[in-house]
Amino acid sequence: MRLRHVRISAAVILLHGFIIGITYGESDASQRISLSGTDWRIHEDADGKGVERGMPQADPCDPGWIPANVPGNIQADVEAARLIKPISYGAGDPRLAQIAEKDWWYRKDFRVPDAFAGKRVRLVFDGVDQDCEIWLNGKRLGRNSGMFRRFGFDVAALVQPGKPNRLAVKIDRMPPPVAPAMLGADRHDDTCRDIDTMIHHLNELKSPTNAAYDWSIAVYTLGIWKDVRLEASGPARIEWTQVRTGLKNNDSTASVRVRLDVDSLAGMKARASLRVSGQSADVTKWVAINLTAGGNIVEAELDVASPALWWPNGHGQQPLYELQASLLTESGEILDSRKVRFGIREIRWAQDAEAATRAPYSLGNSLQLVVNGRPVRQMGSNILPPDMLFGRILQRGPRLIQLAKAVGMNTLRVWGGGVILPDEMYDLADELGMLELKPPAKTALGPLLIEMQLHDAAGKLLAERLHVFGPATAKDPLGGLLRNVVPDDDADPLQEGPPEICRPVRRTSLQVKALPLRLEAGQEVLELVLENTGAMTALFCEPHPLIEYRTDLFIDNNHCFIPPGESRTLTIKAADKPRGGLTLAETGWRITTWNADDLVVEPGSDVLLAVGRRDQMCREYLGYFDTSKIKDTGETTRVGTRPDPSQVPCLLDSNHALRCEFPLSEAQAKQAARLRIHTADQAATMPTKVAITMNGRQMEESLPLGLGIQRTDPAHLAFPATVEFDVPAADLRPGKNTLEVRVQDDGWFSWDAMDITSNKSEESTNDR
């Protein structure tokens, strides 16, 4: 592919080899008129004899012509005219495929300003899908094949300034060899094999997006899917403007390298004026040129002192500059001009020996993206065409880039089988700090870590996420990411020492602090402040309820990442504590991190005793996996405010009992309390009587009937229940307290959890 057929922006970058920081410009608006719009008409040409019937000059008000949009698609226009059912609703319309089995004609009438008289006038098509023939004022201009190619025609001899002009575009039908593959692409057993058929027949000049992939229906798109315009110039015109930026002198100076592709009708002497402005810069350079007839290349370099650097989203601002490129005669008459925005930044892939030793074995290589001298982690997504009808991409595409910025992405990879996105999307990416990167091919062989950040409108970091992907074809693509040393199956059996490969993802250490619980807009809010005191970024920091499973939580900044020396706050929200429930502070929290030891935020002081985690299961308890282990356990004694349940038999019956010894402070012993026993299952034939003894005082309550299955199969889900006891303050004492739990007669239950909480939290809730 020739370089001139690629559109790359300052923020959305395709890195093929070492093409870095390239931007292509557009012509000055004063020298062009847009022919895009909603005033086009289309007409089918079922037998392909439209030329014989005079279609290039037909009146678009005649019957059979329907409104059309440019940019657009034939299928979208036929749908809008209600000639078929909605394409994306229900089963769609079986007639959709028939649209691509016909030729179609576009028609538009337009006027050319008098100022275009005497100038070189170029009719430019940015993209037509797929094969087309162009007619102007009844004269055939030529053909084009390939939806990605920008093409044009010199039409100064044909356009009539100040008078109506008639433009006609014939769109060829789907080639017959492709039709069977496309029409069969939606078979239930299709595995994209028909894509190869289309690619082969169309010489890779058409996107296979809609050829049997799983995100859309199969549709052979047709139409003028990009802009159309007239451009006026002198005998020499600028076809393309390319800007490449780099940094030098310790980043104190930016090198702006400009390349102009100039097409001239004849040999002549000319000058090029190149002006870079913006961000307090204003630099101009003049270049003398000896143009020859045909294509010419003009290259120059400008230096910008103290440049304002463009950074990816999350790393800094996105200042933009403007290049004004003008082509003039020796006497100073402007032949043509272009303007283009660009950001100054330097992008490279770095690889060194140290990086190679840090890279995981399965990574394939150790290339690292460096922007403006700073290593940058790519955080983003693959982006497919935002609409299966490519002419409608701008209706959805810009929103996707805005959403990508909103969640903290800085990278969008344009899927290789898709389309070159409209310029408006690349321009928006310039403004929002989005990179589009295609790394050197070898990096695709190993795991890819994509990190995303979520910021609020003020720029505050709210959440971070990391996704890890690895190809099925790579050996052990994700293995060892968390193990410092793993066996090496390919090691030399004669080597000394164990065959091992080092794949270090270093561990780190964290500290946690719980801020006081508060009420906000009818919600409880608990903030957990995590500080990374180690030397490695903490990955996937996640809070888990400690003594009660909860589904009523909203967690801000969940799965966050914490660089060394920095802190993040996990904000947990829930509805104000319902009667009988636990507050967020009473719940307690376990913080898990991918590469650090777990942290525990103990339940608040209102929780006097907690055994197990209430989740309607008894898997934490002894005997859950093997009931024979509890056969001779008898009475079990556990000590502490939150004793380990793994030594408590999962079943409580007349042969088993639980005794808990736990301390209370003076303040805790002065408050009445509530004891709750949560079961996972209980006897099904008779109510189970639960007897407790608190410091010598006995109380008794009955459980409802259960399923009765967990006596022999503790892993089976059953009918959980809860029994409550009110414990007067008189039954509690400072220091050691003793609680015994038994069942009477032939009843039984399997443990879920047990807790004792001070009633003062209940009273404060009622007061609220």
Tab-separated table of all heavy atoms in Angstrom, residues 641-686:
chain	number	residue	atom	x	y	z
A	641	THR	N	-12.953	-13.284	69.495
A	641	THR	CA	-14.103	-12.540	68.978
A	641	THR	C	-14.544	-13.060	67.624
A	641	THR	O	-15.732	-13.023	67.300
A	641	THR	CB	-13.742	-11.043	68.873
A	641	THR	OG1	-13.382	-10.564	70.169
A	641	THR	CG2	-14.896	-10.233	68.333
A	642	ARG	N	-13.586	-13.532	66.819
A	642	ARG	CA	-13.930	-14.071	65.498
A	642	ARG	C	-13.153	-15.365	65.284
A	642	ARG	O	-12.183	-15.424	64.544
A	642	ARG	CB	-13.618	-13.042	64.415
A	642	ARG	CG	-14.379	-13.263	63.119
A	642	ARG	CD	-14.327	-12.045	62.214
A	642	ARG	NE	-12.975	-11.650	61.898
A	642	ARG	CZ	-12.236	-12.214	60.938
A	642	ARG	NH1	-12.730	-13.227	60.232
A	642	ARG	NH2	-11.018	-11.782	60.711
A	643	PRO	N	-13.604	-16.446	65.932
A	643	PRO	CA	-12.871	-17.708	65.861
A	643	PRO	C	-12.943	-18.341	64.472
A	643	PRO	O	-13.883	-18.111	63.716
A	643	PRO	CB	-13.571	-18.582	66.905
A	643	PRO	CG	-14.948	-18.015	67.004
A	643	PRO	CD	-14.796	-16.549	66.790
A	644	ASP	N	-11.944	-19.144	64.170
A	644	ASP	CA	-11.857	-19.829	62.889
A	644	ASP	C	-12.925	-20.927	62.817
A	644	ASP	O	-12.942	-21.842	63.652
A	644	ASP	CB	-10.464	-20.441	62.753
A	644	ASP	CG	-10.271	-21.177	61.435
A	644	ASP	OD1	-11.169	-21.108	60.575
A	644	ASP	OD2	-9.207	-21.816	61.272
A	645	PRO	N	-13.828	-20.875	61.827
A	645	PRO	CA	-14.893	-21.886	61.765
A	645	PRO	C	-14.427	-23.229	61.205
A	645	PRO	O	-15.182	-24.206	61.256
A	645	PRO	CB	-15.917	-21.243	60.829
A	645	PRO	CG	-15.103	-20.364	59.940
A	645	PRO	CD	-13.974	-19.849	60.787
A	646	SER	N	-13.199	-23.281	60.658
A	646	SER	CA	-12.770	-24.528	60.024
A	646	SER	C	-12.603	-25.665	61.021
A	646	SER	O	-12.505	-26.831	60.618
A	646	SER	CB	-11.448	-24.308	59.275
A	646	SER	OG	-10.401	-23.994	60.174
A	647	GLN	N	-12.584	-25.352	62.339
A	647	GLN	CA	-12.502	-26.392	63.352
A	647	GLN	C	-13.827	-26.609	64.069
A	647	GLN	O	-13.893	-27.330	65.068
A	647	GLN	CB	-11.416	-26.028	64.376
A	647	GLN	CG	-10.026	-25.873	63.763
A	647	GLN	CD	-9.598	-27.134	63.035
A	647	GLN	OE1	-9.701	-28.238	63.568
A	647	GLN	NE2	-9.112	-26.963	61.807
A	648	VAL	N	-14.884	-25.988	63.559
A	648	VAL	CA	-16.226	-26.164	64.119
A	648	VAL	C	-16.977	-27.154	63.244
A	648	VAL	O	-17.071	-26.965	62.030
A	648	VAL	CB	-16.981	-24.820	64.164
A	648	VAL	CG1	-18.406	-25.023	64.662
A	648	VAL	CG2	-16.241	-23.821	65.032
A	649	PRO	N	-17.512	-28.248	63.787
A	649	PRO	CA	-18.262	-29.210	62.975
A	649	PRO	C	-19.407	-28.527	62.234
A	649	PRO	O	-20.113	-27.683	62.795
A	649	PRO	CB	-18.778	-30.223	64.002
A	649	PRO	CG	-17.813	-30.120	65.139
A	649	PRO	CD	-17.412	-28.682	65.187
A	650	CYS	N	-19.559	-28.888	60.956
A	650	CYS	CA	-20.596	-28.247	60.148
A	650	CYS	C	-21.998	-28.617	60.628
A	650	CYS	O	-22.965	-27.910	60.314
A	650	CYS	CB	-20.429	-28.631	58.679
A	650	CYS	SG	-20.665	-30.402	58.334
A	651	LEU	N	-22.133	-29.702	61.398
A	651	LEU	CA	-23.438	-30.181	61.859
A	651	LEU	C	-23.528	-30.063	63.377
A	651	LEU	O	-22.602	-30.443	64.089
A	651	LEU	CB	-23.621	-31.640	61.441
A	651	LEU	CG	-25.039	-32.205	61.542
A	651	LEU	CD1	-25.939	-31.593	60.487
A	651	LEU	CD2	-24.996	-33.723	61.390
A	652	LEU	N	-24.653	-29.518	63.860
A	652	LEU	CA	-24.901	-29.454	65.297
A	652	LEU	C	-26.130	-30.304	65.591
A	652	LEU	O	-27.234	-30.006	65.125
A	652	LEU	CB	-25.139	-28.003	65.734
A	652	LEU	CG	-25.041	-27.777	67.248
A	652	LEU	CD1	-23.581	-27.775	67.675
A	652	LEU	CD2	-25.692	-26.469	67.638
A	653	ASP	N	-25.916	-31.376	66.342
A	653	ASP	CA	-27.029	-32.249	66.733
A	653	ASP	C	-26.812	-32.651	68.189
A	653	ASP	O	-25.995	-32.056	68.894
A	653	ASP	CB	-27.125	-33.468	65.811
A	653	ASP	CG	-25.846	-34.294	65.762
A	653	ASP	OD1	-24.965	-34.098	66.636
A	653	ASP	OD2	-25.713	-35.125	64.852
A	654	SER	N	-27.542	-33.659	68.649
A	654	SER	CA	-27.444	-34.037	70.063
A	654	SER	C	-26.068	-34.581	70.419
A	654	SER	O	-25.710	-34.668	71.599
A	654	SER	CB	-28.513	-35.090	70.393
A	654	SER	OG	-28.366	-36.233	69.542
A	655	ASN	N	-25.252	-34.947	69.402
A	655	ASN	CA	-23.912	-35.469	69.661
A	655	ASN	C	-22.823	-34.401	69.548
A	655	ASN	O	-21.647	-34.701	69.765
A	655	ASN	CB	-23.594	-36.606	68.686
A	655	ASN	CG	-24.539	-37.785	68.860
A	655	ASN	OD1	-24.856	-38.176	69.988
A	655	ASN	ND2	-24.998	-38.341	67.747
A	656	HIS	N	-23.211	-33.211	69.158
A	656	HIS	CA	-22.234	-32.146	68.964
A	656	HIS	C	-22.715	-30.877	69.640
A	656	HIS	O	-23.927	-30.630	69.757
A	656	HIS	CB	-22.006	-31.860	67.471
A	656	HIS	CG	-21.518	-33.037	66.691
A	656	HIS	ND1	-22.371	-33.965	66.122
A	656	HIS	CD2	-20.250	-33.443	66.393
A	656	HIS	CE1	-21.668	-34.884	65.492
A	656	HIS	NE2	-20.370	-34.593	65.644
A	657	ALA	N	-21.771	-30.059	70.062
A	657	ALA	CA	-22.101	-28.782	70.681
A	657	ALA	C	-20.965	-27.814	70.406
A	657	ALA	O	-19.826	-28.216	70.096
A	657	ALA	CB	-22.325	-28.929	72.181
A	658	LEU	N	-21.257	-26.517	70.503
A	658	LEU	CA	-20.249	-25.487	70.298
A	658	LEU	C	-20.174	-24.612	71.538
A	658	LEU	O	-21.197	-24.143	72.054
A	658	LEU	CB	-20.596	-24.613	69.082
A	658	LEU	CG	-19.672	-23.400	68.846
A	658	LEU	CD1	-18.239	-23.851	68.572
A	658	LEU	CD2	-20.193	-22.543	67.697
A	659	ARG	N	-18.957	-24.380	71.999
A	659	ARG	CA	-18.703	-23.505	73.134
A	659	ARG	C	-17.756	-22.398	72.666
A	659	ARG	O	-16.698	-22.673	72.116
A	659	ARG	CB	-18.076	-24.290	74.288
A	659	ARG	CG	-17.679	-23.444	75.499
A	659	ARG	CD	-16.925	-24.312	76.496
A	659	ARG	NE	-16.399	-23.528	77.606
A	659	ARG	CZ	-17.037	-23.338	78.763
A	659	ARG	NH1	-18.249	-23.880	78.937
A	659	ARG	NH2	-16.493	-22.627	79.722
A	660	CYS	N	-18.165	-21.145	72.849
A	660	CYS	CA	-17.354	-19.994	72.450
A	660	CYS	C	-16.979	-19.173	73.682
A	660	CYS	O	-17.846	-18.877	74.524
A	660	CYS	CB	-18.118	-19.105	71.463
A	660	CYS	SG	-18.438	-19.881	69.865
A	661	GLU	N	-15.719	-18.810	73.776
A	661	GLU	CA	-15.241	-17.928	74.837
A	661	GLU	C	-14.718	-16.661	74.177
A	661	GLU	O	-13.839	-16.715	73.310
A	661	GLU	CB	-14.126	-18.614	75.635
A	661	GLU	CG	-14.582	-19.885	76.338
A	661	GLU	CD	-13.451	-20.601	77.058
A	661	GLU	OE1	-12.287	-20.125	76.931
A	661	GLU	OE2	-13.699	-21.626	77.713
A	662	PHE	N	-15.288	-15.519	74.567
A	662	PHE	CA	-14.928	-14.267	73.901
A	662	PHE	C	-14.875	-13.139	74.925
A	662	PHE	O	-15.618	-13.137	75.907
A	662	PHE	CB	-15.928	-13.947	72.790
A	662	PHE	CG	-17.350	-13.818	73.258
A	662	PHE	CD1	-17.910	-12.567	73.519
A	662	PHE	CD2	-18.153	-14.946	73.441
A	662	PHE	CE1	-19.223	-12.448	73.948
A	662	PHE	CE2	-19.467	-14.832	73.872
A	662	PHE	CZ	-20.010	-13.585	74.126
A	663	PRO	N	-13.996	-12.165	74.713
A	663	PRO	CA	-13.845	-11.061	75.673
A	663	PRO	C	-14.758	-9.887	75.328
A	663	PRO	O	-15.096	-9.652	74.165
A	663	PRO	CB	-12.378	-10.675	75.507
A	663	PRO	CG	-12.100	-10.944	74.059
A	663	PRO	CD	-12.931	-12.146	73.695
A	664	LEU	N	-15.154	-9.124	76.350
A	664	LEU	CA	-15.904	-7.892	76.170
A	664	LEU	C	-15.256	-6.789	77.000
A	664	LEU	O	-14.714	-7.042	78.086
A	664	LEU	CB	-17.359	-8.057	76.599
A	664	LEU	CG	-18.248	-8.999	75.789
A	664	LEU	CD1	-19.657	-9.026	76.378
A	664	LEU	CD2	-18.288	-8.599	74.325
A	665	SER	N	-15.350	-5.590	76.490
A	665	SER	CA	-14.858	-4.436	77.244
A	665	SER	C	-15.937	-3.983	78.225
A	665	SER	O	-17.080	-4.452	78.187
A	665	SER	CB	-14.509	-3.300	76.288
A	665	SER	OG	-15.691	-2.806	75.661
A	666	GLU	N	-15.585	-3.037	79.095
A	666	GLU	CA	-16.566	-2.485	80.036
A	666	GLU	C	-17.749	-1.876	79.279
A	666	GLU	O	-18.905	-2.095	79.630
A	666	GLU	CB	-15.895	-1.417	80.906
A	666	GLU	CG	-14.878	-1.945	81.899
A	666	GLU	CD	-15.540	-2.479	83.160
A	666	GLU	OE1	-16.768	-2.339	83.280
A	666	GLU	OE2	-14.824	-3.025	84.025
A	667	ALA	N	-17.447	-1.110	78.225
A	667	ALA	CA	-18.520	-0.455	77.475
A	667	ALA	C	-19.398	-1.475	76.765
A	667	ALA	O	-20.627	-1.341	76.722
A	667	ALA	CB	-17.921	0.528	76.477
A	668	GLN	N	-18.800	-2.504	76.192
A	668	GLN	CA	-19.587	-3.510	75.475
A	668	GLN	C	-20.501	-4.281	76.420
A	668	GLN	O	-21.639	-4.621	76.073
A	668	GLN	CB	-18.648	-4.484	74.746
A	668	GLN	CG	-17.920	-3.874	73.562
A	668	GLN	CD	-16.884	-4.821	72.997
A	668	GLN	OE1	-16.186	-5.534	73.747
A	668	GLN	NE2	-16.751	-4.829	71.675
A	669	ALA	N	-20.033	-4.551	77.612
A	669	ALA	CA	-20.813	-5.343	78.567
A	669	ALA	C	-21.990	-4.572	79.140
A	669	ALA	O	-22.891	-5.170	79.742
A	669	ALA	CB	-19.900	-5.834	79.690
A	670	LYS	N	-22.023	-3.268	78.962
A	670	LYS	CA	-23.115	-2.461	79.508
A	670	LYS	C	-24.313	-2.380	78.566
A	670	LYS	O	-25.343	-1.824	78.931
A	670	LYS	CB	-22.612	-1.053	79.808
A	670	LYS	CG	-21.618	-0.982	80.972
A	670	LYS	CD	-21.163	0.448	81.197
A	670	LYS	CE	-20.177	0.527	82.355
A	670	LYS	NZ	-19.708	1.925	82.589
A	671	GLN	N	-24.179	-2.915	77.350
A	671	GLN	CA	-25.255	-2.824	76.369
A	671	GLN	C	-25.931	-4.179	76.182
A	671	GLN	O	-25.271	-5.220	76.154
A	671	GLN	CB	-24.689	-2.361	75.017
A	671	GLN	CG	-24.092	-0.964	75.032
A	671	GLN	CD	-25.162	0.101	75.130
A	671	GLN	OE1	-26.304	-0.090	74.720
A	671	GLN	NE2	-24.798	1.252	75.701
A	672	ALA	N	-27.268	-4.168	76.057
A	672	ALA	CA	-27.982	-5.381	75.661
A	672	ALA	C	-27.527	-5.782	74.265
A	672	ALA	O	-27.051	-4.953	73.482
A	672	ALA	CB	-29.481	-5.137	75.701
A	673	ALA	N	-27.672	-7.040	73.933
A	673	ALA	CA	-27.162	-7.551	72.660
A	673	ALA	C	-28.196	-8.443	71.984
A	673	ALA	O	-29.211	-8.831	72.584
A	673	ALA	CB	-25.858	-8.312	72.880
A	674	ARG	N	-27.915	-8.763	70.742
A	674	ARG	CA	-28.751	-9.663	69.960
A	674	ARG	C	-27.876	-10.783	69.425
A	674	ARG	O	-26.819	-10.541	68.835
A	674	ARG	CB	-29.388	-8.901	68.791
A	674	ARG	CG	-30.207	-9.780	67.850
A	674	ARG	CD	-30.474	-9.062	66.536
A	674	ARG	NE	-29.213	-8.752	65.852
A	674	ARG	CZ	-29.155	-8.029	64.745
A	674	ARG	NH1	-30.249	-7.506	64.225
A	674	ARG	NH2	-27.983	-7.799	64.170
A	675	LEU	N	-28.300	-12.018	69.648
A	675	LEU	CA	-27.601	-13.196	69.151
A	675	LEU	C	-28.393	-13.771	67.981
A	675	LEU	O	-29.599	-14.021	68.102
A	675	LEU	CB	-27.456	-14.239	70.258
A	675	LEU	CG	-27.031	-15.649	69.825
A	675	LEU	CD1	-25.655	-15.655	69.193
A	675	LEU	CD2	-27.091	-16.612	71.007
A	676	ARG	N	-27.729	-13.963	66.859
A	676	ARG	CA	-28.375	-14.575	65.696
A	676	ARG	C	-27.610	-15.836	65.306
A	676	ARG	O	-26.377	-15.812	65.187
A	676	ARG	CB	-28.407	-13.618	64.506
A	676	ARG	CG	-29.185	-12.340	64.728
A	676	ARG	CD	-29.307	-11.537	63.425
A	676	ARG	NE	-28.009	-11.216	62.850
A	676	ARG	CZ	-27.843	-10.652	61.641
A	676	ARG	NH1	-28.912	-10.377	60.899
A	676	ARG	NH2	-26.641	-10.375	61.187
A	677	ILE	N	-28.343	-16.915	65.120
A	677	ILE	CA	-27.774	-18.154	64.592
A	677	ILE	C	-28.383	-18.373	63.214
A	677	ILE	O	-29.610	-18.489	63.066
A	677	ILE	CB	-28.075	-19.350	65.517
A	677	ILE	CG1	-27.374	-19.146	66.865
A	677	ILE	CG2	-27.616	-20.651	64.863
A	677	ILE	CD1	-27.687	-20.241	67.878
A	678	HIS	N	-27.521	-18.411	62.198
A	678	HIS	CA	-27.957	-18.595	60.816
A	678	HIS	C	-27.624	-20.020	60.403
A	678	HIS	O	-26.477	-20.462	60.514
A	678	HIS	CB	-27.244	-17.608	59.898
A	678	HIS	CG	-27.323	-16.189	60.367
A	678	HIS	ND1	-28.476	-15.452	60.346
A	678	HIS	CD2	-26.359	-15.367	60.875
A	678	HIS	CE1	-28.247	-14.234	60.797
A	678	HIS	NE2	-26.962	-14.160	61.143
A	679	THR	N	-28.606	-20.715	59.920
A	679	THR	CA	-28.400	-22.100	59.512
A	679	THR	C	-28.435	-22.218	57.994
A	679	THR	O	-29.011	-21.382	57.299
A	679	THR	CB	-29.482	-23.013	60.100
A	679	THR	OG1	-30.731	-22.753	59.436
A	679	THR	CG2	-29.645	-22.783	61.591
A	680	ALA	N	-27.803	-23.285	57.490
A	680	ALA	CA	-27.869	-23.599	56.065
A	680	ALA	C	-28.968	-24.611	55.777
A	680	ALA	O	-29.560	-24.613	54.702
A	680	ALA	CB	-26.517	-24.136	55.585
A	681	ASP	N	-29.262	-25.469	56.738
A	681	ASP	CA	-30.366	-26.434	56.626
A	681	ASP	C	-30.659	-26.942	58.030
A	681	ASP	O	-29.873	-26.756	58.965
A	681	ASP	CB	-29.964	-27.590	55.696
A	681	ASP	CG	-31.164	-28.454	55.288
A	681	ASP	OD1	-32.319	-28.000	55.484
A	681	ASP	OD2	-30.936	-29.564	54.767
A	682	GLN	N	-31.814	-27.594	58.212
A	682	GLN	CA	-32.201	-28.159	59.499
A	682	GLN	C	-33.176	-29.315	59.265
A	682	GLN	O	-33.561	-29.593	58.130
A	682	GLN	CB	-32.843	-27.109	60.419
A	682	GLN	CG	-33.952	-26.301	59.820
A	682	GLN	CD	-33.453	-25.099	59.032
A	682	GLN	OE1	-32.341	-24.634	59.232
A	682	GLN	NE2	-34.265	-24.631	58.114
A	683	ALA	N	-33.530	-29.946	60.361
A	683	ALA	CA	-34.384	-31.131	60.270
A	683	ALA	C	-35.676	-30.815	59.534
A	683	ALA	O	-36.246	-29.724	59.676
A	683	ALA	CB	-34.685	-31.669	61.661
A	684	ALA	N	-36.152	-31.798	58.753
A	684	ALA	CA	-37.342	-31.591	57.933
A	684	ALA	C	-38.593	-32.192	58.546
A	684	ALA	O	-39.714	-31.867	58.131
A	684	ALA	CB	-37.117	-32.197	56.547
A	685	THR	N	-38.445	-33.073	59.558
A	685	THR	CA	-39.616	-33.776	60.091
A	685	THR	C	-40.161	-33.161	61.368
A	685	THR	O	-41.317	-33.411	61.727
A	685	THR	CB	-39.250	-35.243	60.357
A	685	THR	OG1	-38.143	-35.295	61.259
A	685	THR	CG2	-38.867	-35.937	59.055
A	686	MET	N	-39.348	-32.383	62.071
A	686	MET	CA	-39.780	-31.761	63.316
A	686	MET	C	-38.973	-30.485	63.532
A	686	MET	O	-37.815	-30.395	63.110
A	686	MET	CB	-39.565	-32.706	64.502
A	686	MET	CG	-38.123	-33.166	64.676
A	686	MET	SD	-37.863	-34.267	66.068
A	686	MET	CE	-38.242	-33.188	67.434
